[in-house]
Structure formats: C-alpha cells, structure tokens
C-alpha cells in the first residue's frame, strides 16, 4: 500500500514530485522520499508525512529534470528508515532508483537464492530483490536489465524507475496496482492515481496497461511488453475502489467516487433498513452513504465528524492505541442522531474494532437504533498483493457468523454488500473462469481466491511473508 510518482522533462522535477506525493499521501503515511537528477541521481527520504520530510532546503538539494517519489504505508511490521523508498543503488551499469507499489509473492525465494550467491541486502523490502536481479543481467541497457529481472518475479508491482536519464514505468502482467500516465507541458508524469495530476495540472492520458513497460526520455514515450504469457488475465484490485484510492481519482479508467456511490445504491437495495437518517463513517464511507441515501430515500446527514489532525486509526500497531484512536478521530453529532434510527455506512469492516466504537458513540449520543451497512462484502482473507490487511485470525468475518459480529459490534442490524453487487458497481463482468473474481478484478480479500499463486502455501494462514509491505 504505497503511492508512487514519476516525472521526466521538467526543470523543477523534485518540486513537482513533492506536490504529486502530497496528492498520494492517503496511500502511505509512514515514510516519503524523492530521488531526482539527470545522469547523476540524488536522494532524500524520511519517516513521516510528505510535508514533514521535505522543505525548501531539502528539495533545493535535488536538482534535475527527472524525479521519482514514493509514500509508504505503515504496517504492523518494521517501520524503518532503511525501508523508505525510492531506493537508489549504484551498480556496474550506473545508478538506478526504484519505487514500488505492490507485493512480490516470490520475494523470499528469490532473496534466499540471491543471498546464497553472495548478494548483500541493505533493506528488508521485497523491492530490493528487483535491483539485485537487475545488477546480475549482463546487459548495459537498464531497460533490458529491468525486463530481464521482471521475468523472474511474481506478484503485484507497479514501479517507477530512474536510470540513465530515463524514467521507466511498469505494471505487472495482472495489473494488480494502478499506474497512470499524464502529460505536463513538454514532459511526462506517472502516478498511482490521477489525484496527483489534478494538483499539478497535468493532463491524464491513459493507464499503463497490465504487462506494459513505458520508457520516457528526450525522445518522448515508448511502450514495451513484458515477456509474460499473453493470456495473463487482468486482476485489478477491487479494494482500490472500495477504500484505498481517493474519490476524486480515476483508477482503472473509472471514477472512484461514482463506483462507491453505486456500491451504496446497490447496498440500499440489497440491505434496506427502516431508519430516519443515513450517516457515513467519514471520509471513506461518504460516497457510498450518499448512494445509500439516494436509493433508499432516507435523508443523508453528517452524524460523525472527523478530526483531520490524526492519521488513519488502522495503522496504529497496538490494539490499545487503536481503540483510543477511533475516539480521537471521530465524534458524533448529537443533534443529528439523538432519538433517531440511524443507518451508518462504512466501506469495510476488518477487525470490527472501529465499528464497535462507533456504535457505542452513537448510542451514547442518543441514537435509538444503529443499523450498520458495509459497502463491500465481509473481509475474510489477507491480501498478499500489496494491501496491508491483518492476518486471517484478526479478520472478524473470517471466523464469526453475521449474528456473532452483530453481537460483538453491538449494532441492531448489520448488512454487507454482496460480491456480485460490488462487481456490478465497478462495472466488472461475470467471472469467466470460476475464480470468484469479477472479470478483470482481484477480490481475494473477500473470496480467498488468489489469482497469482502464493509462495510457500502452508495449511493454515497461507504464506509467511515479511510484513514490510509496500
Ligand atoms: P476495523 O476496525 O479493523 O474493522 O477497521 C475498519 C476501518 O478501517 C474501516 O473504516 C475502513 O475504512 C478502514 N480500513 C479498511 N481496510 C483498511 C486498510 N487496509 N488500511 C487502513 N484502513 C483500512
């Protein structure tokens, strides 16, 4: 769960990358970094938010007409400066900088092999594996090196790379994670989401296609195909639409806002409630609550106010802090909920701790009934392709019935959107291959059907991966 950005052909590349990262900040708040330059590259990374990591002085030390940037998502695992991206390495072919969104499922195997052959790793991130693989390719051209390295990795990756005065962008053959191309004056920009383009006033051109590698240099933009089976089906992450991407972005060519609104409308049809008011859990539940209200005819109001001065509560590593964090972040509006039958719409229910807190808060503020509606199916399986979900044992819906969750959350009723409803809302067709995914999407976190085989699959909790997800 990270945001990546790249720019080529702009005098103030590092400044633009900094702005781009601001508009991708929701994709990661643990660390931020930029590498910029022409042939010689310079790097600045730090822990924390983009605005904490950079100032005039640090940006001033990053001259050059090309830059890449990265924001990293906090996980329960190691949150260390050495894992902050972009990475910058020197090898026989020159310097290479890389920023990655996604998760390689065979990184452990590759790393073990590389270490046995003498590679010395500087980070615990799966991304570094790609650089070591590149270094071993007997080619001078960095694009050839990268193409060759990518033949060996499996899993989810959207990458931006700077090497030899070229900006390279690539998406894995299944296209799990997003990457879009834009035009800024005479140059090109790459970004996880179009929200970055809106801020820097770049024009959105198109998505990098699954299995496509684009190279931007003085000659413009060229496109290459990864050498992978032609029939690799697209499996874009549906959770980008459910929760992760910003509502003002287009991802996978579609408006995130409209998809969420449709999820809410469909939810109202599938899971109606007798109620006086519909309220969202802000911010991510807002578009679907609007959809729910529109479809049901129940008035929409803001019954919970979010403080924008605390981070996403989910990222707190300890349970005790997380419980407290919800109270810090959300507070009920008594005049909206007092004496009312309230429908609360949230985008997802993961551990259930947030919802439980919210229901308590709403009752304390006078709500007569609280009907929880979730604009996605139950989250039953961890993601191994780059979204930081907890282990299966922490996912409340993996081991509890609907009634048990209702009792835990203490709501009057609970209703989830069906898988079909969610897929219809994002415009996916019926799954052609019986995997349970809508055509063109990955929904493994809701179904347990993992479209790319995982590394060492154990009997219980699937693979053991490093927790340093990106
Ligand atoms: P929980 O308390 O674990 O049920 O968390 C549910 C809340 O976390 C919902 O309001 C979601 O908006 C949010 N959420 C869902 N998935 C994630 C994720 N992978 N990272 C951060 N927040 C999430």
């Amino acid at each position: 769960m990270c945001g990546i950005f790249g720019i080529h052909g702009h005098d103030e590349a590092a400044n633009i990358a900094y702005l781009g990262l601001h508009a991708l900040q929701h994709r990661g708040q643990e660390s931020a970094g930029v590498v910029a330059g022409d042939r010689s590259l310079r790097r600045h990374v730090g822990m924390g938010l983009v605005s904490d990591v950079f100032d005039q002085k640090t940006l001033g030390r990053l001259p050059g007409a090309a830059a890449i940037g990265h924001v990293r998502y906090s996980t329960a695992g190691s949150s260390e400066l050495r894992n902050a991206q972009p990475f910058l390495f020197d090898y026989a072919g020159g310097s290479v900088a890389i920023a990655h969104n996604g998760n390689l499922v065979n990184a452990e195997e590759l790393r073990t092999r590389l270490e046995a052959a003498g590679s010395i790793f500087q980070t615990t991130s799966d991304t570094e594996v790609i650089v070591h693989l590149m270094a071993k390719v007997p080619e001078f051209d960095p694009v050839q090196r990268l193409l060759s390295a990518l033949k060996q990795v499996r899993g989810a990756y959207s990458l931006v790379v700077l090497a030899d005065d070229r900006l390279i962008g690539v998406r894995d053959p299944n296209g799990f994670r997003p990457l879009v191309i834009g035009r800024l004056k005479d140059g090109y920009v790459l970004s996880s989401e179009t929200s970055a383009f809106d801020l820097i006033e770049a024009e959105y051109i198109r998505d990098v296609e699954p299995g496509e590698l684009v190279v931007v240099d003085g000659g413009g933009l060229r496109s290459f195909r990864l050498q992978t089976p032609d029939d690799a089906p697209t499996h874009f992450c549906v959770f980008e639409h459910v929760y992760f991407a910003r509502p003002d972005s287009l991802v996978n060519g579609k408006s995130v806002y409209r998809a969420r609104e449709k999820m809410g409308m469909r939810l109202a049809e599938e899971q109606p409630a007798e109620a006086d008011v519909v309220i969202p859990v802000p911010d991510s539940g807002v578009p679907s609550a609007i959809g729910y209200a529109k479809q049901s005819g129940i008035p929409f109001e803001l019954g919970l106010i979010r403080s924008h001065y605390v981070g996403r509560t989910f990222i707190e590593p300890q349970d005790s802090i997380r419980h407290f964090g919800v109270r810090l972040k959300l507070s009920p509006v008594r005049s909206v909920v007092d004496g009312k039958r309230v429908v609360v719409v949230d985008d997802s229910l993961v551990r259930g701790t947030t919802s439980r807190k919210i229901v308590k808060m709403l009752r304390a503020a006078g709500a007569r009934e609280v009907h929880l509606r979730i604009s996605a199916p139950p989250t039953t399986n961890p993601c191994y392709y780059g979204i930081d979900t907890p282990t299966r044992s922490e996912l409340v819906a993996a081991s509890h019935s609907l009634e048990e969750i209702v009792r835990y959350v203490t709501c009057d009723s609970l209703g989830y959107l069906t898988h079909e409803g969610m897929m219809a809302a994002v415009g996916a067709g019926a799954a052609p291959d019986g995997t349970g995914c809508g055509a063109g999407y990955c929904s493994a976190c809701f179904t347990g059907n993992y479209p790319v085989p995982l590394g060492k699959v154990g009997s219980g909790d699937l693979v053991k991966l490093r927790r340093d997800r990106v």
Side-chain angles (χ1 to χ4, degrees):
M1 273 169 91
C2 295
I4 57 174
F5 184 87
I7 176 160
H8 188 283
H10 196 290
D11 292 345
E12 291 183 65
N15 284 333
I16 302 287
Y18 163 77
L19 290 173
L21 293 182
H22 256 293
L24 299 173
Q25 184 77 82
H26 60 289
R27 297 184 71 87
Q29 300 94 44
E30 177 190 311
S31 67
V34 169
V35 169
D38 297 304
R39 268 176 202 278
S40 93
L41 302 175
R42 290 196 175 88
R43 171 177 188 254
H44 181 77
V45 299
M47 301 304 291
L49 300 178
V50 177
S51 53
D52 299 331
V53 171
F54 292 97
D55 57 27
Q56 290 268 304
K57 225 161 74 197
T58 46
L59 285 169
R61 283 192 225 118
L62 300 171
I68 60 171
H70 188 268
V71 283
R72 186 164 189 263
Y73 190 74
S74 184
T75 67
S78 74
S79 152
E80 311 169 53
L81 189 59
R82 68 174 169 153
N83 285 333
Q85 295 193 23
F87 295 143
L88 174 59
F89 291 98
D90 289 322
Y91 58 19
S95 301
V96 61
I98 187 167
H100 175 196
N101 173 207
N103 214 127
L104 306 180
V105 296
N106 64 341
E108 295 277 343
E109 288 158 46
L110 291 171
R111 186 177 172 129
T112 307
R113 214 180 68 204
L114 286 160
E115 282 177 337
S119 290
I120 298 170
F121 279 75
Q122 293 177 23
T123 74
T124 58
S125 154
D126 56 348
T127 311
E128 196 184 339
V129 167
I130 299 174
V131 182
H132 286 264
L133 291 173
M134 282 178 78
K136 286 195 174 302
V137 180
E139 290 264 1
F140 186 74
D141 181 36
V143 176
Q144 292 308 324
R145 282 179 186 261
L146 182 59
L147 282 169
S148 180
L150 293 178
K151 269 194 230 163
Q152 299 175 63
V153 304
R154 280 195 292 116
Y157 53 87
S158 283
L159 303 171
V160 286
V161 175
L162 268 189
D164 201 16
D165 200 19
R166 277 181 271 182
L167 169 66
I168 304 165
V170 58
R171 267 177 95 193
D172 68 70
N174 298 107
F176 281 104
R177 309 253 70 89
L179 189 63
V180 287
I181 307 172
R183 191 93 222 216
L184 183 62
K185 298 196 179 131
D186 297 329
Y188 283 92
V189 275
L190 301 171
S191 173
S192 296
E193 294 181 31
T194 58
S195 55
F197 295 169
D198 296 335
L199 179 66
I200 60 173
E201 297 182 338
E203 180 198 352
Y204 164 64
I205 298 177
R206 65 174 176 88
D207 289 25
V208 175
E209 285 170 22
E212 185 187 18
L213 180 147
V214 295
V215 179
V216 184
D217 57 20
L221 183 140
R222 282 170 298 145
S223 167
F224 297 79
R225 298 296 310 171
L226 296 186
Q227 288 165 355
T228 47
D230 288 335
D231 58 355
T234 301
H235 286 295
F236 184 71
C237 168
V238 75
F239 202 65
E240 292 272 352
H241 276 297
V242 168
Y243 166 79
F244 200 37
R246 242 169 72 157
D248 54 337
S249 283
L250 293 177
V251 292
N252 208 27
K254 289 175 189 140
S255 156
V256 174
Y257 182 95
R258 290 294 169 214
R260 283 188 195 158
E261 186 187 39
K262 279 189 199 146
M263 287 175 199
M265 293 174 84
R266 177 84 183 224
L267 180 63
E269 281 171 8
E270 293 182 0
Q271 300 288 346
E274 290 279 316
D276 307 305
V277 63
V278 174
I279 66 165
V281 177
D283 290 328
S284 47
V286 174
S288 43
I290 290 173
Y292 194 102
K294 265 191 193 167
Q295 188 64 30
S296 64
I298 304 169
F300 172 91
E301 300 223 47
L302 293 177
L304 290 164
I305 299 300
R306 177 176 168 181
S307 161
H308 288 269
Y309 307 101
V310 275
R312 289 183 169 191
T313 55
F314 196 91
I315 66 178
E316 301 294 352
Q318 285 167 20
D319 236 33
S320 53
I321 305 175
R322 191 164 46 241
H323 280 281
F324 186 56
V326 178
R327 280 210 307 272
L328 265 179
K329 188 167 118 178
L330 294 171
S331 52
V333 183
R334 181 171 282 276
S335 63
V336 171
V337 301
D338 196 11
K340 304 267 177 59
R341 296 169 302 170
V342 180
V343 174
V344 194
V345 182
D346 202 357
D347 60 272
S348 53
L349 196 146
V350 184
R351 297 178 177 93
T353 47
T354 308
S355 308
R356 186 180 154 90
K357 226 46 247 174
I358 288 171
V359 172
K360 267 197 185 148
M361 274 184 335
L362 292 171
R363 290 206 199 278
R368 194 145 56 87
E369 291 172 18
V370 182
H371 302 279
L372 184 60
R373 295 294 179 267
I374 305 295
S375 56
T379 305
T380 46
N381 294 273
C383 175
Y384 295 104
Y385 309 126
I387 297 279
D388 183 49
T389 36
T391 57
R392 228 178 113 76
S393 55
E394 290 172 89
L395 298 171
V396 68
S399 52
H400 295 83
S401 67
L402 191 78
E403 293 68 36
E404 285 169 334
I405 303 173
V406 167
R407 270 204 299 280
Y408 173 65
V409 172
T410 72
C411 54
D412 292 285
S413 75
L414 168 63
Y416 289 96
L417 184 61
T418 58
H419 190 266
E420 297 72 44
M422 174 179 69
M423 287 303 175
V426 297
D433 51 3
T435 59
C437 297
Y441 282 89
C442 173
S443 56
C445 52
F446 302 119
T447 62
N449 296 318
Y450 293 96
V452 168
L454 305 170
K456 308 158 208 149
V457 180
S459 50
D461 241 13
L462 295 167
V463 288
K464 194 183 136 291
L465 285 172
R466 280 168 208 273
R467 292 283 293 159
D468 311 306
R469 304 260 169 73
V470 286

